[in-house]
Amino acid sequence: MKKNYLSAIYLRSIVIGFLLVFGGLQVTAQTITNYTFAGSTGTFTALTTPTNPALSAGDVDDGYFNNIPIGFDFWYMGTRYTTISASTNGWLTLGANITDASYTRDIVSGGAPRPVLAPLWDDLHLQVATNVS
């Protein structure tokens, strides 16, 4: 009985120590500002006269399209963007021009400048530049 009692005290001491050490840490997340959501329903309508930007540099395998107007204010992490640049390898950067078309598998250091949106991050080949609209 005495052994169980000491084990319970030991366990309680560990839990209290854990709470004192880790309970005092401040946990913070990214601040998302200027975002609002409004739900809506509708039917998909294809673009009737899509705009096809011209390649800024490179080719359809390793190239990019710079300074594409998005037609609205896009707020990301408190900064307003009105243009994007798109890599042929499936990533976008906001408000800045891409200067390097080389493909990398490292999303941490690849894809500069930042911020980067990487929905299709891979070594892609577009076949023709007009596939971007």
Side-chain angles (χ1 to χ4, degrees), residues 5-112:
Y5 177 72
L6 291 175
S7 296
I9 291 175
Y10 180 69
L11 180 61
R12 186 177 304 158
S13 298
I14 290 174
V15 170
I16 289 171
F18 180 81
L19 290 174
L20 287 174
V21 170
F22 293 105
L25 297 177
Q26 181 179 1
V27 179
T28 58
Q30 294 178 344
T31 303
I32 305 298
T33 57
N34 300 319
Y35 286 99
T36 58
F37 175 77
S40 65
T41 59
T43 304
F44 172 76
T45 304
L47 297 172
T48 54
T49 54
T51 301
N52 300 98
L55 273 168
S56 299
D59 56 31
V60 293
D61 184 33
D62 290 312
Y64 47 87
F65 305 86
N66 278 336
N67 201 29
I68 303 168
I70 51 180
F72 56 89
D73 293 343
F74 180 77
W75 288 88
Y76 183 72
M77 299 300 294
T79 303
R80 179 174 80 69
Y81 297 97
T82 58
T83 62
I84 62 166
S85 294
S87 166
T88 59
N89 288 316
W91 58 273
L92 309 167
T93 187
L94 301 168
N97 288 336
I98 298 171
T99 57
D100 185 4
S102 60
Y103 173 71
T104 177
R105 292 198 187 279
D106 185 5
I107 197 166
V108 174
S109 63

